[in-house]
Amino acid sequence: MSEAHAVLEADCAACHVQTAGAFSAKASDAACLSCHDGPMHHPAKIGAPECATCHIEHRGRLNIVAAKNQSCAECHADLRASGGADRFAAHIESFENGHPEFAALRLSEGKDARDPGTIRVNHAIHMKPIRRAPNGPNVQLECGDCHQPAASSTQWRYGDAEYASANPTYSRDDLLLTATTGALPRPTPPNGRELMAPVKFATACAGCHSLAFDKRFNEGAPHDKPAVIHAFLVKKFSEYIAAHPAELREVRDPGRDLTGKPIPAAVRVYTPNEWIAARISDAEELLWRKTCTQCHTLSTTTGAGQNNLPGVEPARTTVKWMPHARFDHDAHRGFACAGCHEKALSSTETSDVLLPGIATCKTCHAPGSEHAESRCYECHTYHDWSQRKEVKPTYTLPALSTGGR
């Protein structure tokens, strides 16, 4: 029997009905449901199969969840549209026969697929030796310096502890696209290693991309909304000029575009409020027009508030690129990232979708013992486990019921 049912090998009556001294060939659904709850898939135009049709026992120590492709092809080889909807390919026999290119990479209205994210990033530049900060050394980044699963304990080489410990005011909606998954959930919960976590400035970018705003300060501006940055600048410059009132008298060298007698230096005396306003204006000119726009799209209308602060376009980061299937990065952790995400080496545009295509997956996932599993169940779930019900445990191990040890 399968690994899951090995303990039942000597107890045929646990699953099979006995009639006239003989056991039924297949286990009944009632027998399966007495221990398991298998909530059904979405409504189909044909009747749902019996449990034993897909989950076949007595084949040795195999994974009984590994249903054969023919079970899925019963519907998907000729999928009838429900209510006129045709969201899925209508003729799929298997991963090798009829499965279309992944949806995220298909042409849409004759155009190449595009990443909806707005954070400007040039992967090709970051995959080559690159200077760390304006006066820093050249470094060779690795994919893992920016991309890690949420549950990873890796130390970030180019992160910043102060930014990482901050509590920014932007929300999840400012960062991520709303997940519109059509995949049925797995019976086991995720462990945080299946997908890569969204890239964060604090852990992946802050070590190289300085948010410096004035030579008087060693710290950078917060990585936050413009209103928060503005309030930070008001506080910093107010505290500074209170401690250095002599700077209210500013001496500026004259222009040297005229010849003849020397021109005395220009002297201007500010009030504290004037000095603070001037410094904030200079700092925000640097941040809004140069620093922030290296990565973000700023707007003078969308989201703009008081003090003529710009709005920032939501990042619109995609977390799950294959919403109708499941993928586990952790199962592929031994493979070099660029082996599958080869396009990242040459990608220069934010809009490039760097997901590997189906042809890449087929190099490993194919029929035969020399390849990785390629049956439908590997990526797709049949049972809707979000609808599961708790079952009442009733089975007792034979050894326990007879008092054996």
Side-chain angles (χ1 to χ4, degrees):
M1 295 185 71
S2 65
E3 295 177 353
H5 294 153
V7 71
L8 302 175
E9 283 188 333
D11 189 10
C12 301
C15 301
H16 297 275
V17 176
Q18 187 174 13
T19 304
F23 288 104
S24 60
K26 285 185 178 182
S28 67
D29 282 358
C32 298
L33 293 174
S34 66
C35 292
H36 303 283
D37 178 54
M40 298 312 296
H41 191 31
H42 52 70
K45 290 188 176 297
I46 62 175
E50 296 178 341
C51 302
T53 301
C54 299
H55 304 293
I56 304 173
E57 263 296 1
H58 300 290
R59 297 178 297 152
R61 295 289 191 265
L62 301 178
N63 179 8
I64 196 172
V65 175
K68 59 185 184 296
N69 283 342
Q70 290 83 347
S71 298
C72 303
E74 285 290 327
C75 290
H76 286 274
D78 186 16
L79 191 65
R80 310 290 175 82
S82 177
D86 55 352
R87 297 173 56 202
F88 307 107
H91 304 288
I92 304 176
E93 297 280 352
S94 64
F95 189 53
E96 302 78 31
N97 184 9
H99 197 295
E101 179 59 275
F102 302 139
L105 293 170
R106 294 180 211 156
L107 294 175
S108 177
E109 298 180 354
K111 298 180 181 179
D112 290 337
R114 292 176 60 85
D115 187 331
T118 65
I119 302 298
R120 297 189 180 98
V121 60
N122 183 321
H123 274 86
I125 287 180
H126 287 81
M127 295 303 295
K128 299 175 182 177
I130 189 172
R131 187 174 296 281
R132 181 179 182 180
N135 300 316
N138 279 357
V139 297
Q140 177 61 63
L141 298 178
E142 299 177 359
C143 300
D145 292 329
C146 299
H147 302 283
Q148 290 287 345
S152 174
S153 59
T154 300
Q155 297 296 314
W156 297 98
R157 290 203 299 167
Y158 301 104
D160 184 281
E162 291 190 10
Y163 281 107
S165 62
N167 293 313
T169 61
Y170 46 79
S171 67
R172 180 182 176 87
D173 292 338
D174 295 317
L175 297 175
L176 310 178
L177 278 178
T178 302
T180 54
T181 178
L184 297 176
R186 303 178 71 171
T188 54
N191 60 22
R193 292 183 175 272
E194 293 85 358
L195 302 176
M196 290 294 162
V199 176
K200 294 182 179 180
F201 173 84
T203 53
C205 312
C208 298
H209 293 274
S210 169
L211 300 185
F213 59 94
D214 189 280
K215 63 183 180 181
R216 298 171 179 84
F217 305 98
N218 292 325
E219 64 182 307
H223 185 256
D224 212 316
K225 293 183 177 181
V228 174
I229 297 174
H230 180 78
F232 168 84
L233 296 177
V234 171
K235 181 175 183 293
K236 296 300 292 185
F237 285 119
S238 297
E239 293 174 347
Y240 181 87
I241 198 59
H244 304 83
E247 291 197 24
L248 291 173
R249 187 176 185 275
E250 185 179 85
V251 179
R252 294 185 177 180
D253 291 335
R256 297 300 179 186
D257 54 339
L258 297 176
T259 60
K261 62 181 181 179
I263 302 174
V267 177
R268 178 174 179 180
V269 178
Y270 291 89
T271 66
N273 287 340
E274 289 174 339
W275 186 91
I276 293 169
R279 299 293 77 75
I280 290 175
S281 178
D282 292 342
E284 291 184 340
E285 178 77 10
L286 171 65
L287 292 170
W288 307 154
R289 294 188 179 275
K290 181 181 179 182
T291 305
C292 299
T293 54
Q294 286 183 339
C295 301
H296 295 279
T297 300
L298 302 186
S299 169
T300 57
T301 55
T302 303
Q306 60 182 356
N307 301 312
N308 295 317
L309 299 177
V312 181
E313 285 292 320
R316 293 201 285 272
T317 300
T318 299
V319 176
K320 187 175 177 63
W321 280 100
M322 295 190 289
H324 298 290
R326 63 174 183 261
F327 178 81
D328 190 348
H329 268 101
D330 196 44
H332 299 79
R333 62 186 179 276
F335 293 89
C337 302
C340 295
H341 300 278
E342 184 180 6
K343 290 183 286 187
L345 299 175
S346 58
S347 170
T348 61
E349 299 295 330
T350 302
S351 59
D352 292 340
V353 178
L354 304 183
L355 191 75
I358 192 172
T360 299
C361 299
K362 285 181 177 180
T363 60
C364 293
H365 294 273
S369 58
E370 70 278 14
H371 290 99
E373 181 63 74
S374 67
R375 281 175 287 178
C376 305
Y377 85 95
E378 180 74 357
C379 299
H380 299 284
T381 300
Y382 176 88
H383 295 292
D384 185 0
W385 291 101
S386 68
Q387 303 297 321
R388 71 183 301 173
K389 303 177 183 66
E390 297 303 325
V391 297
K392 182 179 180 180
T394 58
Y395 181 75
T396 302
L397 292 174
L400 297 178
S401 62
T402 60
R405 294 289 184 270

